[in-house]
Amino acid sequence: MTFLKVIQWVVWKDLITEIRSRETLSSMLFFAMIVILVFSFSFSMDQDAVRELIAGIIWVAFAFTGIIGLGKSFTVELHNDCLEYLQLSPAPKGAIYLGKMTANLLFMLTVEILLFPLFVLFFNLDVVEEIGLLLLIFFLATLGLSAVGTLFSALTVQIRAREVMLPVLLLPLAVPVMIAAVEATRGALNGAPLSLYSQWLELLIIFNVIFTVASFWLFELILDS
Amino acid sequence: MTSFYARWAALIVIALILSGLTYQHYQQNLASVTPEWIVKNNSSPTPSIRLEGMVKSGSLSGNLDEGQAEFQLVGDSANVAVHYNGSPPENLRELKTLIVVGQWDPAQQVFRAREIVLVTNYGFVVSAYLVAMIPLILLVFSMSRKVTSLFQVIKESKLYEPQAEFHVDSR
Amino acid sequence: MSLLPSINRFIRHIQRFKGWFGGAAALCLITGMYLGLITSPPDYYQGEIVRIMYVHVPLAHTALFGYTVLFVGSLWYLWKRDPLIDNMCHAAAGMSAAFTAVALVTGSIWAKPTWNTWWTWDPKLVSFAVLLMILAGYLMLRTMVEDPEQEGRYAAVLAIVGGLDLPIIYFAAEWWRTLHQPLSISLRGVSISGDILLPLSIMSIGFTLLFTYMLMIRTQMLYLVNLFDAKKGRLLSQVHLSKVGQ
């Protein structure tokens, strides 16, 4: 099997499982809606406060939702010892990593695209002009989360207390992604010129390149029995 | 284990002696007196001391740019006249609490100051050093104790003696 | 003969002399504290409070030195799979966490009189707080894995990812908010007087020696604990131990 074929099959397997069970996406969506509701109760916000805070709220919701999705990505493999088959499979481990990462990226992006209209609706955001840029920011930041998250999802699924350990290990490492995503989103939502926050996009790209490559090599050490 | 504890007791004694010396140094060089103390002992000239008080409102006069100033320093219940003569002071303002370094002149009933320094809360410095050193030293102590006791346990249970070998090929 | 096994033996030999490291550390720290607390001049702006610098800055440097040891050790472990190096990484993480925590607390004590706040969201503070969280996660991860070989492997992966992340975290935090005083020791020239530099460097050397001393004790402790557990449960750990002799 060629390298690309493996990636394609892993993504396909995850997608088909998801389409049949609809477990991950529905739990992510409902969790995120609850987060939005809790936030709108916790802050009584006028329009100015919304402009200050909304980027942070969006990314807190997205990050925690993403962690649910990332955690599920490998816990589903525990049933019927699928994880062991992944470990034993002669396919290159890097390809399995890239496939899993792509599948996670797709799930997280789907949830984000479904959720974003709710934010626009509930918090009266004005997004028509910047929608392309916002989608680019979402894509880059989610790629970063997914690149590190997939590695640590595969790591934590094989240890005790896996539900706790994934956020404990992942969130400190994702600090640059969160800072960059929040700042860039705030810039885009406030309609600031791109030159003011393009450095954050550059930071996201650098982060993505470094951690996709590093995780690609390190994944072999994680998925090794 | 006894020799281990004896060594640590010796270290603690040395640390206590050193901190005692530091405290003595502080008492001699950095402790300050109040205007009340000056008023009570105003008959004799003092060696160079540090006097802490607040500059009385409306009492400051003199040529600050040339390093000459006269003001009243207020304590809780007494005040002392200060003649300052030194480099142009940076921090000298009315209603400011500061320390003047100099000598009490009982004949003129005036404190001759040659240096003005800010009041420092040494609590911050001391607590920073203690917060840094005490946990690290406790950590060293507990780890060394564990190593010593492990050595003893391993010795007593004769774990170091060779046991039947069975070889496993590693990857 | 390759270099690495000899370095490996070097670690075991040098352990015998760890008392000298402790003594040298104590000597440097006492000298540094004497210079810093008593002979060095007070700062023009901060007054006597600047003396906290002589303990805070070396602690922070040593914490970063500890993470460097952890990072290099983790790479080395993944290469050679030597349990002794794994113990050293575990020890380095614990000690680095201790130094980071102490550096954060002393920094907080320094910030109160100078900036009139216990905590600001400034890049160095943020980076150190994140560093502490990464190290805490590392130490937690260590307790969550049953198999020692797997434990070492996972921990090494986490340490390497964290090491790659730290510079990015620092730059992100610096862009995010900049109100810290600029670096006082820069490569462009000495912006700081010799009276200050001398106690600062002596304290730095002292804390690095103290770190090395603590690293040695803790490596030895973890090694003995593992040895003890292994000998108690003879069957399970034969495989792991058989690699020690190689």
Side-chain angles (χ1 to χ4, degrees):
Chain A
M1 248 193 307
T2 61
F3 196 80
L4 287 175
K5 253 314 195 245
V6 177
I7 301 180
Q8 197 188 328
W9 276 109
V10 174
V11 177
W12 176 245
K13 171 191 79 68
D14 273 14
L15 287 184
I16 206 88
T17 325
E18 186 52 40
I19 288 167
R20 286 187 188 145
S21 69
R22 285 182 290 277
E23 240 177 42
T24 311
L25 274 184
S26 56
S27 55
M28 282 165 87
L29 261 178
F30 279 110
F31 178 78
M33 282 182 194
I34 292 165
V35 171
I36 298 178
L37 273 182
V38 169
F39 270 124
S40 49
F41 294 146
S42 327
F43 307 116
S44 57
M45 290 193 287
D46 54 16
Q47 207 57 35
D48 286 343
V50 165
R51 286 160 77 81
E52 263 320 293
L53 295 175
I54 190 67
I57 294 177
I58 288 176
W59 278 104
V60 168
F62 285 179
F64 283 97
T65 317
I67 282 173
I68 289 190
L70 288 168
K72 280 229 156 208
S73 158
F74 277 92
T75 38
V76 290
E77 306 283 359
L78 288 175
H79 302 302
N80 299 329
D81 294 333
C82 292
L83 194 65
E84 280 181 24
Y85 288 104
L86 282 181
Q87 286 170 340
L88 294 173
S89 119
K93 299 289 193 293
I96 297 179
Y97 166 75
L98 287 179
K100 275 285 181 190
M101 193 195 83
T102 317
N104 285 333
L105 177 69
L106 288 178
F107 291 152
M108 285 159 76
L109 270 182
T110 315
V111 173
E112 285 168 14
I113 288 167
L114 289 175
L115 277 179
F116 190 60
L118 287 182
F119 279 106
V120 175
L121 193 72
F122 287 159
F123 295 97
N124 271 329
L125 302 178
D126 184 19
V127 292
V128 186
E129 290 164 23
E130 308 285 351
I131 190 75
L133 202 55
L134 279 172
L135 285 179
L136 177 69
I137 295 168
F138 287 179
F139 173 76
L140 286 177
T142 312
L143 184 62
L145 276 181
S146 168
V148 190
T150 306
L151 182 74
F152 282 101
S153 170
L155 191 155
T156 49
V157 78
Q158 300 176 66
I159 64 176
R160 275 182 283 132
R162 56 178 81 95
E163 294 84 0
V164 186
M165 286 311 284
L166 179 61
V168 164
L169 298 183
L170 179 58
L171 284 177
L173 296 170
V175 162
V177 179
M178 289 298 286
I179 295 178
V182 169
E183 293 297 315
T185 311
R186 178 181 295 149
L189 284 176
N190 288 350
L194 181 63
S195 58
L196 276 186
Y197 55 90
S198 60
Q199 55 179 10
W200 296 114
L201 298 181
E202 285 159 25
L203 184 89
L204 281 175
I205 292 169
I206 293 170
F207 185 94
N208 291 347
V209 170
I210 291 178
F211 284 99
T212 313
V213 173
S215 309
F216 178 80
W217 290 112
L218 291 171
F219 193 73
E220 196 165 342
L221 298 163
I222 298 294
L223 207 64
D224 185 10
S225 52
Chain B
M1 285 306 266
T2 20
S3 68
F4 171 78
Y5 284 121
R7 229 179 306 153
W8 274 90
L11 280 177
I12 288 171
V13 169
I14 293 172
L16 283 179
I17 291 171
L18 284 178
S19 44
L21 286 176
T22 319
Y23 183 71
Q24 203 183 4
H25 171 88
Y26 168 81
Q27 281 296 329
Q28 278 171 4
N29 295 316
L30 298 172
S32 56
V33 299
T34 56
E36 288 80 22
W37 188 88
I38 296 276
V39 170
K40 215 181 344 172
N41 304 290
N42 72 348
S43 53
S44 57
T46 60
S48 176
I49 52 168
R50 294 157 64 91
L51 171 66
E52 179 182 343
M54 192 179 76
V55 181
K56 191 179 178 185
S57 164
S59 71
L60 184 61
S61 64
N63 194 343
L64 289 183
D65 291 335
E66 285 174 15
Q68 301 265 347
E70 284 158 28
F71 51 90
Q72 298 268 322
L73 214 55
V74 199
D76 286 333
S77 59
N79 49 3
V80 169
V82 180
H83 283 189
Y84 173 74
N85 196 350
S87 55
E90 301 277 342
N91 319 309
L92 188 56
R93 278 196 308 278
E94 288 177 356
L95 291 176
K96 190 169 169 102
T97 305
L98 34 79
I99 293 176
V100 289
V101 186
Q103 281 162 311
W104 173 245
D105 182 353
Q108 310 253 326
Q109 290 289 308
V110 83
F111 189 87
R112 304 215 174 272
R114 51 189 155 71
E115 200 182 341
I116 295 180
V117 287
L118 289 176
V119 178
T120 309
N121 188 348
Y122 281 95
F124 284 114
V125 180
V126 171
S127 59
Y129 276 78
L130 290 182
V131 154
M133 295 317 292
I134 288 177
L136 293 180
I137 287 171
L138 280 180
L139 204 58
V140 173
F141 173 72
S142 71
M143 288 189 310
S144 317
R145 197 179 59 171
K146 179 106 195 226
V147 167
T148 316
S149 69
L150 270 171
F151 265 131
Q152 208 156 27
V153 169
I154 287 175
K155 210 169 164 185
E156 275 164 10
S157 54
K158 297 202 189 309
L159 279 178
Y160 54 89
E161 283 181 359
Q163 56 191 32
E165 198 58 50
F166 78 88
H167 206 75
V168 183
D169 275 352
S170 55
R171 281 189 315 124
Chain C
M1 188 181 178
S2 77
L3 187 63
L4 279 170
S6 60
I7 291 177
N8 200 336
R9 217 174 301 125
F10 174 70
I11 287 186
R12 271 172 239 189
H13 276 298
I14 208 173
Q15 287 274 6
R16 280 185 217 158
F17 302 105
K18 68 178 191 305
W20 291 99
F21 280 82
L27 210 65
C28 279
L29 288 179
I30 289 170
T31 321
M33 277 190 204
Y34 174 75
L35 291 174
L37 279 176
I38 293 170
T39 62
S40 80
D43 186 65
Y44 187 75
Y45 294 108
Q46 297 184 21
E48 306 284 338
I49 293 295
V50 79
R51 299 191 194 280
I52 298 179
M53 177 177 77
Y54 301 121
V55 70
H56 168 70
V57 174
L59 277 170
H61 284 172
T62 312
L64 289 180
F65 172 72
Y67 202 95
T68 317
V69 171
L70 173 61
F71 186 76
V72 175
S74 299
L75 285 173
W76 189 3
Y77 174 73
L78 288 182
W79 186 17
K80 289 291 167 185
R81 303 297 175 96
D82 184 335
L84 182 68
I85 306 302
D86 187 36
N87 289 333
M88 194 198 75
C89 291
H90 192 172
M95 294 305 97
S96 187
F99 275 86
T100 312
V102 174
L104 274 175
V105 175
T106 51
S108 191
I109 293 173
W110 193 15
K112 182 60 185 167
T114 42
W115 299 334
N116 200 23
T117 169
W118 293 105
W119 179 264
T120 66
W121 291 100
D122 119 313
K124 282 176 196 154
L125 289 175
V126 173
S127 314
F128 265 81
V130 175
L131 172 63
L132 186 59
M133 279 190 270
I134 293 175
L135 287 171
Y138 180 97
L139 294 173
M140 269 175 84
L141 174 66
R142 284 271 182 184
T143 64
M144 299 280 181
V145 193
E146 271 87 11
D147 177 38
E149 197 271 340
Q150 198 185 18
E151 179 191 318
R153 200 151 34 92
Y154 287 4
V157 167
L158 175 61
I160 289 169
V161 174
L164 292 175
D165 211 9
L166 277 178
I168 306 182
I169 291 172
Y170 178 72
F171 281 117
E174 191 172 63
W175 282 345
W176 180 52
R177 191 157 294 177
T178 315
L179 52 85
H180 206 283
Q181 48 200 12
L183 270 178
S184 25
I185 302 175
S186 62
L187 295 172
R188 262 169 281 148
V190 185
S191 65
I192 206 169
S193 73
D195 296 347
I196 295 177
L197 203 58
L198 183 68
L200 206 57
S201 44
I202 288 180
M203 287 293 272
S204 262
I205 295 169
F207 274 123
T208 311
L209 283 172
L210 181 66
F211 175 86
T212 318
Y213 177 57
M214 288 163 90
L215 183 71
M216 285 168 162
I217 301 180
R218 198 163 179 85
T219 310
Q220 196 175 22
M221 185 187 111
L222 293 168
Y223 185 76
L224 288 177
V225 168
N226 281 0
L227 185 77
F228 192 64
D229 291 351
K231 294 266 183 176
K232 284 276 178 194
R234 289 170 191 224
L235 270 180
L236 273 177
S237 45
Q238 273 287 352
V239 182
H240 199 60
L241 271 177
S242 66
K243 289 180 184 169
V244 181
Q246 281 171 4

